[in-house]
Amino acid sequence: MIIIGDAGGTSTYWRVIDADQKIDQFQTRGLNLMHHDPLDFLASISSSLEPYYHSAKVFFYVAGYFLGSQRGNDLMRAFQNHFLTQDIEINNDLIAAARSLCGHQRGWVGILGTGANVAYYDGKSIKEQVPPLGYLLGDEGSGADLGKNFIIHFFRGELHQDIKDDLLLRYSVTSQELLSCIYEQEDPKRFLSSFSSFIAEHKNNPSVYQMIYDTFSTHFEVFLRHKLDNLPVHYTGSVAYHFSDILRQVGVDKGISVGQITQNPIAGLALFHQNSL
């Protein structure tokens, strides 16, 4: 039996494959090693993992993982303490995206969820990457970036009044309270990203559509300005999935082919590891 976990900032998706190739699935809270304590994470989901502690192999993918980092070492020790096997592999979310979308083939892969990332994958490892820099300095095209740009448009009067009214009604706040909420959140990245669903509901409004278009245009300019081949770029993540029509259109307008788009990598990861058994 093997267990596969793919952790994003909001949710972690799990697949368990037994000796008969039967697949179980479940979902727990998310994890980002840049912001969350791995010990707290595992303690909070221990009841969900307990039936699978005897798995022969564990594959775990998480944003913010760096081999040899303190948080990475803490996470590995925590997994070793929970599972009855030492056959544990931990990788970052870019490797998850690459294995899910490309398998053992080379290609460009991107993540557009709460955060953003793009890299070139040679079929085994990541070879070229523009540093995403996080939501304060970068993450262009991410849910947090969309949310930030939307709120900027809101406060600067660049949205239709009906959308502004709907936003304040939905969040049950005044304009000033909304601004306070953003700056007082424990996890502002996730809070900003939470506006993505509201944005998606209004994406056909011309001003909102243009804001989304411009956000993705900047994403391509930042992350793919050095792309020198004709390979398509494959994406995974909730933002890429729910705004796929606009993302593809921006790609067409910039001469960049957008390939597969999945909501999350877990199904492709299950297939990747299933085929490797």
Side-chain angles (χ1 to χ4, degrees):
M1 177 185 294
I2 66 172
I3 184 168
I4 306 156
D6 175 63
T10 303
S11 302
T12 301
Y13 298 92
W14 300 87
R15 294 290 188 274
V16 181
I17 306 174
D18 66 16
D20 298 322
Q21 302 293 301
K22 178 185 174 183
I23 299 178
D24 290 333
Q25 57 185 321
F26 59 98
Q27 184 177 336
T28 65
R29 60 168 281 196
L31 172 68
N32 185 315
L33 287 181
M34 301 293 288
H35 307 291
H36 306 139
D37 187 319
L39 299 181
D40 291 343
F41 167 73
L42 276 173
S44 70
I45 66 170
S46 59
S47 60
S48 298
L49 292 179
E50 188 173 4
Y52 309 107
Y53 282 160
H54 59 286
S55 297
K57 295 182 179 180
V58 179
F59 300 94
F60 190 71
Y61 302 88
V62 58
Y65 175 78
F66 300 99
L67 183 64
S69 67
Q70 184 61 51
R71 283 287 176 94
N73 291 338
D74 289 346
L75 183 64
M76 177 60 80
R77 283 193 294 270
F79 267 87
Q80 290 171 340
N81 289 335
H82 279 75
F83 287 90
L84 303 178
T85 178
Q86 295 300 299
D87 196 349
I88 299 171
E89 179 185 315
I90 301 177
N91 270 301
N92 62 46
D93 54 346
L94 263 179
I95 289 292
R99 288 178 171 178
S100 174
L101 295 166
C102 297
H104 296 285
Q105 304 298 314
R106 69 188 185 97
W108 287 86
V109 293
I111 299 171
L112 283 176
T114 305
N117 221 329
V118 175
Y120 175 72
Y121 174 68
D122 70 353
K124 293 182 180 179
S125 59
I126 299 299
K127 291 300 183 182
E128 185 177 341
Q129 176 188 6
V130 175
L133 301 181
Y135 77 100
L136 284 177
L137 301 177
D139 273 356
E140 292 86 353
S142 68
D145 191 41
L146 272 176
K148 179 180 69 176
N149 291 337
F150 183 74
I151 295 302
I152 290 172
H153 278 61
F154 171 86
F155 279 105
R156 292 181 178 168
E158 296 166 356
L159 297 175
H160 290 180
Q161 188 61 46
D162 59 339
I163 296 176
K164 295 174 66 174
D165 293 341
D166 190 16
L167 179 69
L168 296 176
L169 181 64
R170 181 77 60 87
Y171 283 84
S172 301
V173 292
T174 64
S175 296
Q176 189 56 47
E177 287 170 341
L178 178 61
L179 197 61
S180 297
C181 285
I182 293 169
Y183 282 100
E184 293 172 4
Q185 285 290 317
E186 291 185 5
D187 192 347
K189 178 179 181 178
R190 185 181 297 184
F191 182 70
L192 287 169
S193 186
S194 71
F195 291 98
S196 296
S197 58
F198 182 89
I199 296 169
E201 293 176 20
H202 295 276
K203 68 178 183 179
N204 291 326
N205 178 279
S207 61
V208 177
Y209 181 96
Q210 189 62 50
M211 185 274 297
I212 301 167
Y213 186 101
D214 292 343
T215 299
F216 288 150
S217 181
T218 301
H219 167 80
F220 282 122
E221 291 166 5
V222 169
F223 287 100
L224 290 164
R225 63 180 180 270
H226 300 306
K227 186 173 180 292
L228 302 177
D229 54 53
N230 293 317
L231 291 172
V233 184
H234 306 291
Y235 281 96
T236 189
S238 58
V239 170
Y241 183 80
H242 290 294
F243 297 95
S244 60
D245 53 341
I246 307 177
L247 182 65
R248 289 187 186 280
Q249 184 60 57
V250 177
V252 168
D253 293 345
K254 289 186 169 294
I256 295 172
S257 175
V258 176
Q260 297 182 67
I261 297 178
T262 62
Q263 190 165 4
N264 59 66
I266 193 62
L269 286 172
L271 182 62
F272 178 89
H273 288 296
Q274 193 173 22
N275 290 339
S276 301
L277 289 176

